[in-house]
Amino acid sequence: LSEQPTDEPRTFDDYVRARSVALQKYAFLVTRNTEDARDAVQDALIGLYPRWEQVSASGGVDAYVRRSVVNAAVSRWRKVRRLMPVAEPEDRDAAGSARRLDDAVTDAHVAWQLCDRLPPLQRAAVVLRFFDDLSFAEVGEALGCPEATARSHVHRALARLRSELGEEDR
């Protein structure tokens, strides 16, 4: 018999109790919407429940749930985009002049505003890499893609963030 580590939840209910707050925070960072985050976590847990024994035995429960959250966010983003064209956010005021960021706005707030403009996979990669402090291999595992693709998502996201930040400064 193989025993699970004592710090790992042994049952699905224990896992949900122990990880639900962290999963909600993660999902919010990926979706940037409280209701979408709740839905994504609920969908991920619904998918995990019938596979609990298999997934928990492999030790990859968090990776499985993270991947499910990202997949739910991407699916929703694709569906909404098909139903309603999304215009790029306008960074100009009514007179057509570039807006200046208010000095009172914190760097973190600006960073999240810029992250809102990223596609869901790039945003998820940035969250996993810099918020969860995962390696590129772990980011790839969580996103269900090769490490090189995870690196590419992060690289493209950072390039876009730098570009957008440069535009905000002008």
Side-chain angles (χ1 to χ4, degrees), residues 1-46:
L1 288 177
S2 65
E3 290 186 11
Q4 285 184 309
T6 56
D7 59 341
E8 291 293 319
R10 293 178 184 262
T11 68
F12 177 79
D13 290 342
D14 290 342
Y15 178 78
V16 171
R17 274 193 286 280
R19 299 290 293 146
S20 63
V21 172
L23 292 172
Q24 290 292 328
K25 287 178 183 178
Y26 171 74
F28 176 78
L29 292 173
V30 171
T31 64
R32 300 298 292 148
N33 178 292
T34 304
E35 294 304 315
D36 290 345
R38 288 181 184 148
D39 290 345
V41 170
Q42 181 176 350
D43 290 347
L45 293 174
I46 288 170

Side-chain angles (χ1 to χ4, degrees), residues 24-160:
Q24 290 292 328
K25 287 178 183 178
Y26 171 74
F28 176 78
L29 292 173
V30 171
T31 64
R32 300 298 292 148
N33 178 292
T34 304
E35 294 304 315
D36 290 345
R38 288 181 184 148
D39 290 345
V41 170
Q42 181 176 350
D43 290 347
L45 293 174
I46 288 170
L48 172 63
Y49 182 74
R51 296 172 185 87
W52 172 254
E53 294 298 324
Q54 176 189 358
V55 175
S56 65
S58 73
V61 178
D62 281 338
Y64 179 91
V65 174
R66 283 184 181 135
R67 187 176 320 119
S68 296
V69 166
V70 170
N71 289 346
V74 169
S75 294
R76 179 166 171 72
W77 176 73
R78 286 178 178 154
K79 180 180 178 183
V80 168
R81 194 159 184 187
R82 266 195 319 267
L83 296 176
M84 178 178 21
V86 178
E88 287 293 319
E90 188 61 47
D91 290 324
R92 304 206 170 263
D93 63 16
S97 303
R99 287 188 208 154
R100 303 300 272 170
L101 292 176
D102 186 19
D103 294 334
V105 177
T106 65
D107 289 342
H109 182 70
V110 172
W112 283 119
Q113 284 181 327
L114 293 173
C115 282
D116 279 345
R117 299 176 189 173
L118 293 174
L121 279 174
Q122 289 180 7
R123 186 181 322 131
V126 167
V127 168
L128 290 167
R129 179 73 176 116
F130 299 107
F131 182 77
D132 283 349
D133 199 29
L134 299 182
S135 69
F136 286 110
E138 292 169 320
V139 171
E141 181 182 337
L143 296 178
C145 64
E147 179 179 347
T149 304
R151 286 181 185 275
S152 178
H153 285 313
V154 172
H155 174 74
R156 288 180 180 153
L158 292 178
R160 182 165 178 187

